[in-house]
Amino acid sequence: MVENKELYKFFAQGEKFFQPGISIDSVIFGFHNNQLKVLLTKLKYVNLWSVAGGFVYKDEHIDDAATRILRERTGLSNIFLKQFYIFGDPRRSDRKFHVNRMRHVGWDADRNYWLLKRFITIGYYALVNFTNVVPTRDYMSDLCDWYDIHDLPPLIMDHGDILGRALETLRTQLKYQPIGYNLLPQKFTMPELQKLYETILDKKLDRRNFQRKMLGYDILNRLEQRRKGGAHKAPYLYSFNLKKYHRALREGLAGGW
Amino acid sequence: MVENKELYKFFAQGEKFFQPGISIDSVIFGFHNNQLKVLLTKLKYVNLWSVAGGFVYKDEHIDDAATRILRERTGLSNIFLKQFYIFGDPRRSDRKFHVNRMRHVGWDADRNYWLLKRFITIGYYALVNFTNVVPTRDYMSDLCDWYDIHDLPPLIMDHGDILGRALETLRTQLKYQPIGYNLLPQKFTMPELQKLYETILDKKLDRRNFQRKMLGYDILNRLEQRRKGGAHKAPYLYSFNLKKYHRALREGLAGGW
DNA sequence: ACAAAAGTGTTGTCGATACACCCATGG
DNA sequence: CCATGGGTGTATCGACAACACTTTTGT
């Protein structure tokens, strides 16, 4: 198998290219069907899933590495991406997992093999537009797809913790920063934006107060057009005023839900 | 010199004990004479200062490493310590600086020497009680002392950035968490607590509103005793109600300055 | 016409600010 | 006795939550 050759090559030569002992794990959030989703990959030879992970090239900025990994998994660049925590427990790695994978491609590792050493991982979280993403697996995985935040498959190592802490961070950030731009299509309605907030915060918000508060932030453009076709009254479409949006990102919102 | 032997040993054997490519830099804040201070060490053989740095033993949790480094510099355990950012620019290390130090102890490093490789550093910040600290230098440094945040000596590499970002984080955290416990003596007056807040935020606060807000958090015990001796009316002494203080740490404050 | 969804308005509460007043102490 | 700092009280404003009303649309 050509793919397993690639994996073999990674095992054999990764040490040459990658910064030792450091990995990156990005929790990629998307929004679809009124549900918050995470992009996960199923790793080969085991029945375990993983958030979008990877390694840092020896001369690569960690933020660039995170961006690259995100692009490899989603096809997207220019995305909201932020480091949120470092996971530095010396026992977080799962030796058996690696040994098992290596056996499948015929790589025989000794005890000092680079991948079996301790890894510290840098947690990033990303917000992406679900419909623009083309989930792309690589030679390490045989599946890459979205999963509902409330219905997750079994995760490798401490990826449950990583995901949980990313979600917690997202919820906190939500209070002080605008976020819809990265998760919604260009044009969207106020109820759609509200659903996004409700989904992330996991609680109902008052329709009318939400609208007024959101408009109060002064980061939205109301378009002439309305969303037709649905039953009932047609809602306005909005887009983000990028200039004001980015100012709000820098300076923060009043906040408090 | 015995000390230089130690440094030599570090150069020669550090690779055996420490996790490669990872360092820890802790910005240690204290409060004294109504000024916010940082604990810095002056490194040997150069006219540059550094925040409290160190390395991670191969089987040590990064949080434990940060705690250990803090104890080595201050003599204190059980302290408020929190990771706040990872600095991962591949060009952040200063090769010349290391080479220069090594030359002074007669260590001759080749190009692949561990210390000259890329290091990613984990930024922590700590809040400590100034009067309890015994600033302690080690074999790498010839000075260790407090410096006013507004009057800093020249700092090594990106330690200026690290310090700035730590300060920014502290200011943000101040809005959502109680902090005085770690920076003030056991007993303190309301004006003293206010000075602390004013110093960190670098702005004046209204005396009366501050008092009411602070008392409203319900984390203080008013003591019978008052602070005598100063001119003018004797202010009450307070101490923190630790139980409520820690609950507030976990659950956050209302906040907003 | 009516149910359901969307848009707009009104009111009450609470916290934050601004400021006025009183108390204690040392010079 | 008065200047200075500390403690307590009150008015005002604005943000936010709760809730009423009107408008639009498909069936």
Side-chain angles (χ1 to χ4, degrees):
Chain A
M1 247 173 126
V2 171
E3 285 215 337
N4 281 356
K5 262 193 186 163
E6 276 203 83
L7 188 50
Y8 186 93
K9 186 180 160 195
F10 165 76
F11 286 139
Q13 302 194 14
E15 190 170 17
K16 279 191 208 162
F17 304 119
F18 294 122
Q19 181 75 358
I22 284 281
S23 59
I24 293 211
D25 283 301
S26 294
V27 181
I28 305 176
F29 289 110
F31 186 62
H32 189 60
N33 283 343
N34 292 337
Q35 287 180 325
L36 192 63
K37 308 275 190 179
V38 203
L39 194 67
L40 300 176
T41 57
K42 189 202 155 292
L43 297 164
K44 281 182 184 171
Y45 317 123
V46 285
N47 200 38
L48 290 170
W49 277 253
S50 151
V51 303
F55 300 91
V56 183
Y57 286 115
K58 287 195 171 170
D59 198 39
E60 187 180 37
H61 197 297
I62 54 171
D63 291 344
D64 294 336
T67 305
R68 171 176 53 77
I69 291 163
L70 196 72
R71 191 172 47 242
E72 287 168 4
R73 285 287 141 280
T74 65
L76 300 178
S77 314
N78 241 344
I79 272 171
F80 182 92
L81 185 66
K82 206 167 174 176
Q83 64 165 254
F84 67 94
Y85 201 72
I86 312 158
F87 298 85
D89 190 322
R91 290 159 309 181
R92 60 173 292 280
S93 296
D94 184 346
R95 193 189 180 82
K96 280 181 201 159
F97 161 71
H98 290 298
V99 171
N100 188 19
R101 278 160 83 214
M102 290 187 275
R103 191 175 300 137
H104 272 93
V105 296
W107 174 262
D108 192 24
D110 67 9
R111 149 165 298 277
N112 270 328
Y113 178 59
W114 71 288
L115 255 182
L116 296 182
K117 286 183 182 159
R118 172 187 183 182
F119 268 78
I120 288 166
T121 200
I122 310 175
Y124 282 79
Y125 76 98
L127 307 178
V128 304
N129 183 327
F130 182 91
T131 53
N132 293 346
V133 171
V134 185
T136 310
R137 63 174 190 83
D138 62 358
Y139 57 87
M140 292 196 190
S141 45
D142 38 35
L143 287 172
C144 179
D145 210 349
W146 292 102
Y147 290 84
D148 190 303
I149 211 80
H150 292 109
D151 188 18
L152 296 169
L155 296 170
I156 195 180
M157 302 199 299
D158 57 351
H159 283 210
D161 291 349
I162 294 176
L163 211 158
R165 198 180 267 264
L167 190 56
E168 193 187 310
T169 306
L170 175 58
R171 283 189 179 134
T172 306
Q173 294 299 104
L174 195 59
K175 295 175 188 164
Y176 314 114
Q177 289 192 346
I179 56 142
Y181 178 62
N182 312 281
L183 288 163
L184 292 173
Q186 274 239 324
K187 300 175 181 180
F188 53 91
T189 66
M190 193 60 77
E192 284 165 0
L193 182 58
Q194 182 178 344
K195 275 283 186 308
L196 171 62
Y197 273 74
E198 289 183 337
T199 304
I200 295 176
L201 292 173
D202 203 18
K203 73 165 136 176
K204 285 255 162 259
L205 301 171
D206 184 284
R207 184 173 63 84
R208 299 151 282 191
N209 294 332
F210 179 84
Q211 178 143 172
R212 226 172 324 101
K213 186 165 186 171
M214 215 62 210
L215 292 175
Y217 289 153
D218 191 28
I219 54 173
L220 295 176
N221 296 323
R222 175 180 282 185
L223 310 176
E224 292 303 313
Q225 209 181 345
R226 285 165 180 251
R227 164 95 68 228
K228 291 171 192 170
H232 320 303
K233 184 172 183 176
Y236 287 104
L237 282 169
Y238 291 87
S239 67
F240 284 103
N241 181 327
L242 275 197
K243 203 166 174 177
K244 293 177 176 174
Y245 188 92
H246 283 117
R247 182 164 40 73
L249 260 185
R250 286 194 306 277
E251 299 172 11
L253 298 172
W257 250 292
Chain B
M1 247 172 126
V2 171
E3 285 216 337
N4 281 356
K5 261 193 188 163
E6 276 203 83
L7 188 50
Y8 186 93
K9 186 179 160 193
F10 165 75
F11 288 139
Q13 302 194 15
E15 190 169 18
K16 278 191 209 163
F17 304 119
F18 294 121
Q19 181 75 358
I22 283 281
S23 60
I24 293 209
D25 283 301
S26 294
V27 181
I28 304 176
F29 290 110
F31 187 63
H32 188 60
N33 283 342
N34 292 336
Q35 288 180 325
L36 191 62
K37 308 275 189 180
V38 202
L39 194 67
L40 300 176
T41 58
K42 188 201 154 293
L43 296 164
K44 281 182 182 171
Y45 317 124
V46 285
N47 200 39
L48 291 170
W49 278 254
S50 151
V51 304
F55 301 90
V56 183
Y57 286 115
K58 287 195 172 169
D59 198 39
E60 186 181 36
H61 196 296
I62 54 171
D63 291 345
D64 294 337
T67 305
R68 172 177 52 79
I69 291 163
L70 196 72
R71 190 173 48 241
E72 286 168 5
R73 285 287 139 280
T74 65
L76 300 179
S77 315
N78 240 344
I79 273 171
F80 182 92
L81 185 66
K82 206 167 173 175
Q83 64 164 253
F84 67 94
Y85 200 72
I86 312 160
F87 298 85
D89 190 322
R91 290 160 309 183
R92 60 173 292 280
S93 295
D94 184 346
R95 194 189 180 81
K96 280 180 200 160
F97 161 72
H98 290 298
V99 171
N100 188 20
R101 278 161 84 215
M102 291 187 274
R103 191 174 300 136
H104 272 92
V105 295
W107 174 262
D108 192 25
D110 67 11
R111 151 166 298 277
N112 270 327
Y113 179 60
W114 71 288
L115 254 183
L116 296 182
K117 286 183 183 159
R118 172 187 184 182
F119 268 77
I120 288 166
T121 201
I122 309 175
Y124 281 79
Y125 75 98
L127 307 178
V128 304
N129 184 326
F130 182 92
T131 53
N132 293 345
V133 171
V134 185
T136 310
R137 64 173 190 83
D138 62 359
Y139 55 87
M140 293 196 190
S141 45
D142 38 34
L143 286 173
C144 179
D145 210 349
W146 292 101
Y147 290 84
D148 190 303
I149 211 82
H150 292 109
D151 188 18
L152 295 170
L155 295 171
I156 195 181
M157 302 199 300
D158 56 352
H159 282 210
D161 291 349
I162 293 176
L163 210 157
R165 198 180 267 264
L167 190 55
E168 193 186 309
T169 306
L170 175 59
R171 284 190 179 132
T172 306
Q173 293 300 104
L174 195 58
K175 296 174 188 164
Y176 314 113
Q177 290 192 346
I179 56 142
Y181 178 62
N182 313 281
L183 288 162
L184 293 173
Q186 274 240 325
K187 299 176 182 180
F188 53 90
T189 66
M190 194 59 79
E192 285 165 359
L193 182 57
Q194 182 178 344
K195 275 283 186 307
L196 171 62
Y197 273 74
E198 289 182 338
T199 305
I200 295 177
L201 293 172
D202 202 20
K203 74 166 137 176
K204 285 256 163 259
L205 301 172
D206 185 283
R207 183 174 62 85
R208 299 150 283 192
N209 295 331
F210 179 84
Q211 177 143 170
R212 228 172 325 102
K213 186 166 186 170
M214 215 62 211
L215 291 175
Y217 288 153
D218 191 28
I219 54 173
L220 296 175
N221 297 323
R222 176 181 280 185
L223 309 177
E224 292 304 312
Q225 209 181 345
R226 285 166 180 251
R227 163 95 66 228
K228 291 169 191 168
H232 320 303
K233 184 172 182 176
Y236 286 105
L237 283 170
Y238 291 88
S239 67
F240 285 102
N241 180 327
L242 275 196
K243 203 166 174 178
K244 293 177 176 175
Y245 188 91
H246 283 117
R247 181 164 41 73
L249 262 185
R250 286 193 307 276
E251 299 172 12
L253 298 172
W257 251 291

